[in-house]
């Protein structure tokens, strides 16, 4: 059952006929509330094609964010995420340093990448799409993230948690990330297309 799924009930219309109305499932209504992303159990990552033949994967370990979930009306759900650029980690120190430099993110001048949602919708079942504005290096452009709701649970410490995983694709050049190098065999060192991945665990606030 989806996070915002509702069950049908019947009511009498003014003309005396039966009409279908929507009622929020109590179990889903209980998920409604404000949440803080648990960075220790969440991952924000990316995949980019390198030298035309393989993929490089990385993560941003430093991030924080908040969610508001509305179990009755998904359009009122919101998300905000702040990512620390300097926390980029691809497993190779020299490469991470290059990504932090002015050739790419310029982490010293632009320390944060941010996302602020503007719209949310259920696509069907546990699938959702959240649309908002992604800002990198002071360039703000729209971004839609397709998400799957993984469920809710109470952990061993009594925290009420929800989980989502999702992805989106961007062209890094749209945000001014244009550095590249030509290959002798043709093509370029780093692809323009980047896949973003999100694996989010969030804790409900009292």
């Amino acid at each position: 059952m989806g996070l915002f799924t509702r069950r049908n009930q019947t009511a009498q219309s003014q003309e005396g006929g039966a009409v279908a109305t929507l009622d929020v499932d109590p179990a889903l209504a209980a998920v409604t509330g404000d949440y803080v992303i648990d960075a220790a159990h969440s991952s924000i990552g990316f995949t980019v094609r390198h030298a035309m033949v393989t993929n490089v994967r990385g993560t941003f370990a430093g991030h924080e964010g908040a969610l508001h979930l509305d179990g009755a009306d998904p359009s009122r759900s919101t998300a905000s995420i702040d990512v620390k650029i300097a926390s980029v980690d691809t497993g190779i120190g020299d490469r991470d340093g290059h990504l932090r430099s002015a050739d790419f993110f310029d982490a010293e001048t632009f320390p944060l990448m941010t996302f602020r949602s503007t719209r949310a919708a259920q696509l069907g079942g546990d699938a959702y799409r959240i649309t908002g504005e992604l800002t990198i290096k002071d360039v703000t452009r729209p971004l839609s993230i397709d998400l799957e709701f993984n469920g809710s649970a109470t952990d061993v410490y009594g925290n009420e948690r929800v989980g989502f995983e999702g992805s989106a694709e961007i062209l890094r050049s749209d945000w001014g990330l244009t550095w590249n190098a030509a290959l002798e065999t043709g093509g370029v060192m780093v692809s323009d297309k980047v896949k973003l991945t999100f694996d989010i665990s969030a804790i409900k606030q009292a």
Side-chain angles (χ1 to χ4, degrees):
M1 178 179 290
L3 173 61
F4 305 114
T5 301
R6 303 178 185 182
R7 55 189 172 85
N8 288 332
Q9 288 187 336
T10 354
Q12 291 298 117
S13 70
Q14 291 181 348
E15 291 78 14
V19 295
T21 62
L22 295 175
D23 185 35
V24 180
D25 187 314
L28 299 177
V31 177
T32 297
D34 295 314
Y35 294 77
V36 170
I37 293 175
D38 178 8
H41 296 94
S42 300
S43 175
I44 296 176
F46 61 89
T47 303
V48 61
R49 184 63 59 90
H50 177 262
M52 308 296 290
V53 296
T54 190
N55 290 319
V56 168
R57 293 176 173 82
T59 61
F60 293 95
H63 58 268
E64 59 185 24
L67 310 175
H68 174 74
L69 302 182
D70 191 322
D73 183 356
S75 68
R76 298 181 64 182
S77 297
T78 61
S80 65
I81 302 174
D82 294 334
V83 177
K84 295 179 181 179
I85 294 298
S87 71
V88 65
D89 182 6
T90 64
I92 303 294
D94 288 346
R95 182 166 58 206
D96 297 341
H98 193 196
L99 289 172
R100 296 184 190 108
S101 76
D103 281 347
F104 284 96
F105 289 108
D106 194 359
E108 186 174 348
T109 306
F110 307 101
L112 292 179
M113 172 172 60
T114 66
F115 176 79
R116 299 291 184 267
S117 69
T118 56
R119 186 169 68 255
Q122 183 178 17
L123 303 181
D126 290 327
Y128 299 86
R129 177 171 294 151
I130 188 162
T131 300
E133 296 182 334
L134 176 67
T135 301
I136 305 173
K137 297 179 71 173
D138 278 357
V139 176
T140 301
R141 295 181 61 88
L143 175 70
S144 292
I145 305 170
D146 288 339
L147 296 166
E148 181 177 355
F149 176 55
N150 289 337
S152 61
T154 301
D155 67 22
V156 295
Y157 302 105
N159 299 311
E160 296 180 52
R161 291 180 178 268
V162 292
F164 294 88
E165 59 182 311
S167 63
E169 287 189 352
I170 66 171
L171 297 179
R172 61 188 178 91
S173 59
D174 287 344
W175 281 266
L177 302 173
T178 57
W179 182 91
N180 228 320
L183 301 175
E184 291 184 3
T185 54
V188 292
M189 181 70 73
V190 185
S191 68
D192 192 20
K193 184 170 69 174
V194 180
K195 181 178 180 181
L196 305 176
T197 57
F198 305 86
D199 199 344
I200 301 298
S201 178
I203 299 174
K204 193 173 188 179
Q205 302 302 284

